Amino acid sequence: MLQPSLHAASKWIIRNTLISNESLTPELKLRLITIASPLWMSTPDLCPLPDPYWAFYWPGGQGLSRYILDNKSSFRGSTIMDFGTGCGSASMAASICGAQKILANDIDKYALLSTKLNFRLNNWKDSKIHYSARNFLDDQKSSSDFFEGSDDQKKYILLGDMFYDSDFAEILFKWLKRMQDEHGTIVLVGDPDRHPLVESDYLKKYKTKFTKTQLAEYSLPGYVIKEHYGFNTAKVFELQFE
């Protein structure tokens, strides 16, 4: 599949997504594919951008972004890595709260483009945002380099809706433990209780052990439940690795 240039992709996103703030974070306007969009039931061939997961505001991302906005003082002056940034909501929320340094990371370059477009949509500057499409799970030195020089600030890794597969979760846990051991990062996860993060059979099998503390739970609006497979709440957890 021939992928369009960023300029062509930008025009396609603006033309084919809907502007919405119907979510747990009405402060944020986002360009999305929603249930009201003609693309909602379309076939993949109608979208020139591969797997546009960034065009959906997933429940965990909504909960995580809501938590950041509700706890501004915890994030003011902090260093943030938004891992798997998607539509950029967590980076946007952290920026509103006064985070000092933010990295929006996604291996999909169109997710980073979507994030930039969403900042622009809200008339917010993204001068604090560093954008990276590196796969930090394969390039762990680069992820460590980001946190260098941030010794006096709180350091966060934010992950929304990333625990959809137990094998991938195991890889993530190993990397997150290394980041936490080396840099003292606070790991925050937004998730609607997908199996790899909550079922005891999965949790017992993981080689990388951790404790999970629930920080918040948000009831999802009815239209969000309908769009996202019946999940009815979004939870925010802190992970502490052993």
Side-chain angles (χ1 to χ4, degrees):
M1 180 179 183
L2 184 63
Q3 297 187 5
S5 67
L6 292 179
H7 177 70
S10 178
K11 292 174 68 175
W12 188 92
I13 292 170
I14 292 171
R15 189 167 55 245
N16 289 279
T17 55
L18 299 180
I19 296 173
S20 175
N21 69 342
E22 295 184 344
S23 67
L24 290 177
T25 56
E27 302 95 322
L28 310 181
K29 292 186 293 184
L30 300 168
R31 296 187 181 277
L32 302 171
I33 296 173
T34 72
I35 202 166
S37 168
L39 287 172
W40 182 258
M41 297 297 291
S42 68
T43 54
D45 59 289
L46 295 180
C47 178
L49 310 180
D51 299 325
Y53 296 117
W54 43 264
F56 301 88
Y57 197 8
W58 302 94
Q62 292 195 31
L64 184 58
S65 300
R66 181 71 267 160
Y67 179 81
I68 296 168
L69 292 168
D70 288 346
N71 294 274
K72 290 184 174 64
S73 61
S74 296
F75 297 91
R76 189 174 298 118
S78 63
T79 297
I80 303 281
M81 178 184 286
D82 182 10
F83 182 89
T85 192
C87 66
S89 63
S91 290
M92 295 167 73
S95 179
I96 293 172
C97 294
Q100 183 170 319
K101 183 181 177 185
I102 302 169
L103 175 63
N105 168 249
D106 202 297
I107 60 173
D108 186 342
K109 62 184 179 181
Y110 299 122
L112 303 180
L113 175 61
S114 173
T115 298
K116 289 186 73 72
L117 290 174
N118 284 328
F119 267 95
R120 190 181 306 168
L121 175 64
N122 288 273
N123 295 314
W124 297 332
K125 294 180 179 180
D126 64 347
S127 55
K128 296 180 182 178
I129 313 298
H130 303 260
Y131 293 94
S132 175
R134 286 182 181 273
N135 184 343
F136 286 147
L137 302 180
D138 291 335
D139 183 7
Q140 297 194 15
K141 183 179 184 303
S142 292
S143 53
S144 287
D145 288 348
F146 172 72
F147 288 111
E148 294 295 336
S150 301
D151 295 340
D152 296 332
Q153 294 131 9
K154 282 186 177 179
K155 297 178 281 290
Y156 292 92
I157 299 179
L158 309 177
L159 306 96
D161 302 283
M162 295 301 296
F163 295 94
Y164 48 81
D165 175 84
S166 60
D167 291 335
F168 183 58
E170 183 74 83
I171 296 170
L172 269 178
F173 291 142
K174 183 178 179 181
W175 173 74
L176 289 168
K177 174 177 168 54
R178 176 179 170 179
M179 291 299 102
Q180 193 168 82
D181 288 346
E182 291 183 359
H183 303 287
T185 53
I186 300 168
V187 177
L188 299 184
V189 172
D191 195 85
D193 275 348
R194 291 185 178 87
H195 300 313
L197 201 58
V198 297
E199 288 197 0
S200 59
D201 287 346
Y202 286 112
L203 297 174
K204 290 175 183 176
K205 291 178 182 178
Y206 294 136
K207 296 177 181 178
T208 305
K209 303 301 181 183
F210 59 91
T211 56
K212 182 180 65 175
T213 303
Q214 183 174 313
L215 303 179
E217 181 174 4
Y218 302 97
S219 295
L220 295 169
Y223 49 84
V224 177
I225 295 172
K226 187 175 181 181
E227 287 183 355
H228 294 286
Y229 313 109
F231 289 120
N232 54 27
T233 66
K235 296 178 181 178
V236 178
F237 303 100
E238 179 177 350
L239 303 186
Q240 182 67 49
F241 291 90
E242 299 174 4

